């Protein structure tokens, strides 16, 4: 049995088109929000894909009108009853998912329509290429909510967009539309609305037509260069996250978000 294609997936769909595999987020009743089950399945699928020599490209996509609403805020609130050790372990689910996708040896291409928020954007920038439809956007709302941007994402953003744009994107938490993402290096193509998946399939077909060994060598080498200091610079981000989510500003940020009002932050 091939676990990748015949596994009992509940929150994703995995299909094959020749030497290209497509992985589709399928938690549509919750706008593909990244809960524990969805992240576990995405991580397992990436680990099963990692060293497959019969797969040359992987397309990751969401629904026709949106990619994902990001991580569930309820997961942060549920950790209040956990010990610090338990919390440190639990918050590795997101970073582990992103790392698993980064380590897939085949080329990974993300097709994005509509919104791609928070942890979903972190997942997208962990992959090789991003194709966005007109009207799509990336957004990282963590800092305005009183959190740091974790999931080992900052080195990837800096490598793609540079320090100033990475700071701007993360600090203000504002949507970056498809044209902005293309200009900043966060997207590689902008397709017409509804055309991101078709464009991503074209990218995948181009990759699949190339000699697979030097393609994989190139990916590994470029990632090693771009991420050379990543671990040293970001190894504390989960502890920073746990500290930030214990703050009064985090509670105020979440309350302000839910009440649709500006936050009143004190640094406490």
């Amino acid at each position: 049995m091939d676990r990748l294609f015949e596994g009992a997936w509940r929150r994703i769909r995995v299909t094959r088109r020749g030497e290209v595999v497509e992985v589709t987020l399928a938690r549509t009743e919750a706008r593909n929000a990244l809960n524990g089950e969805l992240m576990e399945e995405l991580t397992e699928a990436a680990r099963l894909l990692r060293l497959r020599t019969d797969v040359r490209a992987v397309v990751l996509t969401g629904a026709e009108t949106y990619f994902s609403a990001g991580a569930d805020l309820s997961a942060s609130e549920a950790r209040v009853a956990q010990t610090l050790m338990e919390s440190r372990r639990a918050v590795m689910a997101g970073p582990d998912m992103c790392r698993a996708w980064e380590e897939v040896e085949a080329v990974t291409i993300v097709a994005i329509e509509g919104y791609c928020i928070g942890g979903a954007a972190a997942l997208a920038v962990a992959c090789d290429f991003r194709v966005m439809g007109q009207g799509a956007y990336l957004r990282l709302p963590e800092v305005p909510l009183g959190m740091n941007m974790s999931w080992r994402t900052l080195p990837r953003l800096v490598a793609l967009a540079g320090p100033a744009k990475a700071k701007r994107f993360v600090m203000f938490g504002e949507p970056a539309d498809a044209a902005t993402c293309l200009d900043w290096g966060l997207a590689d193509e902008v397709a017409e609305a509804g055309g991101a998946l078709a464009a991503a399939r074209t990218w995948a077909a181009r990759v699949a037509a190339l000699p697979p060994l030097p393609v994989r060598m190139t990916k590994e080498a470029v990632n090693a260069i771009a991420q050379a200091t990543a671990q040293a610079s970001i190894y504390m981000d989960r502890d920073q996250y746990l500290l930030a989510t214990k703050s009064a500003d985090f509670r105020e940020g979440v309350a302000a978000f839910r009440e649709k009002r500006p936050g009143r932050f004190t640094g406490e």
Side-chain angles (χ1 to χ4, degrees):
M1 175 178 174
D2 190 328
R3 287 174 57 204
L4 181 61
F5 300 107
E6 299 174 26
W9 305 114
R10 287 170 44 85
R11 298 303 185 183
I12 62 173
R13 296 194 308 273
V14 181
T15 56
R16 183 164 197 157
R17 301 164 65 91
E19 294 171 310
V20 177
V21 169
E22 293 184 5
V23 178
T24 305
L25 280 63
R27 193 180 175 228
T28 53
E29 75 282 1
R31 301 182 300 158
N32 287 340
L34 297 170
N35 67 345
E37 186 179 17
L38 178 51
M39 288 194 288
E40 286 174 10
E41 291 197 356
L42 283 167
T43 303
E44 183 180 358
R47 288 172 176 165
L48 290 172
L49 282 162
R50 183 183 175 194
L51 298 178
R52 289 188 73 127
T53 58
D54 60 335
V55 176
R56 298 195 182 186
V58 182
V59 175
L60 177 64
T61 189
E64 292 182 359
T65 56
Y66 59 86
F67 186 78
S68 168
D72 281 337
L73 277 176
S74 57
S76 298
E77 297 167 332
R79 279 193 290 274
V80 295
Q82 294 179 329
T83 67
L84 182 56
M85 188 74 79
E86 290 168 338
S87 294
R88 288 186 91 243
R89 180 176 181 272
V91 299
M92 283 305 294
D96 284 348
M97 175 186 66
C98 292
R99 181 176 179 178
W101 277 87
E102 190 172 54
E103 290 180 344
V104 173
E105 286 204 344
V107 172
T108 50
I109 304 148
V110 187
I112 302 169
E113 298 286 354
Y115 47 80
C116 178
I117 300 173
L123 173 60
V125 300
C127 295
D128 296 314
F129 301 111
R130 286 146 298 281
V131 177
M132 300 177 68
Q134 287 281 359
Y137 65 88
L138 304 181
R139 182 180 173 223
L140 297 177
E142 282 76 3
V143 168
L145 286 172
M147 296 177 274
N148 69 314
M149 184 60 222
S150 56
W151 290 20
R152 311 286 167 89
T153 302
L154 293 181
R156 299 180 183 115
L157 288 175
V158 173
L160 289 169
K165 290 184 176 65
K167 291 174 187 174
R168 180 175 169 184
F169 183 45
V170 174
M171 287 180 182
F172 293 106
E174 297 170 345
D177 62 22
T180 300
C181 288
L182 186 65
D183 182 54
W184 287 5
L186 298 175
D188 300 282
E189 182 180 342
V190 176
E192 63 182 16
L197 180 55
R201 286 171 175 166
T202 298
W203 276 74
R206 291 179 62 195
V207 169
L210 295 170
L213 187 57
V215 167
R216 293 184 180 217
M217 290 175 173
T218 300
K219 171 174 175 170
E220 186 175 16
V222 171
N223 283 355
I225 293 164
Q227 303 290 329
T229 62
Q231 182 60 27
S233 63
I234 211 69
Y235 76 99
M236 287 289 291
D237 79 346
R238 65 169 164 165
D239 292 308
Q240 293 171 348
Y241 171 81
L242 291 171
L243 176 63
T245 55
K246 298 292 185 184
S247 69
D249 278 351
F250 170 69
R251 294 189 294 274
E252 167 62 12
V254 172
F257 171 76
R258 289 176 170 163
E259 295 166 15
K260 296 182 169 47
R261 60 172 174 79
R264 297 181 289 273
F265 301 111
T266 63
E268 298 178 0

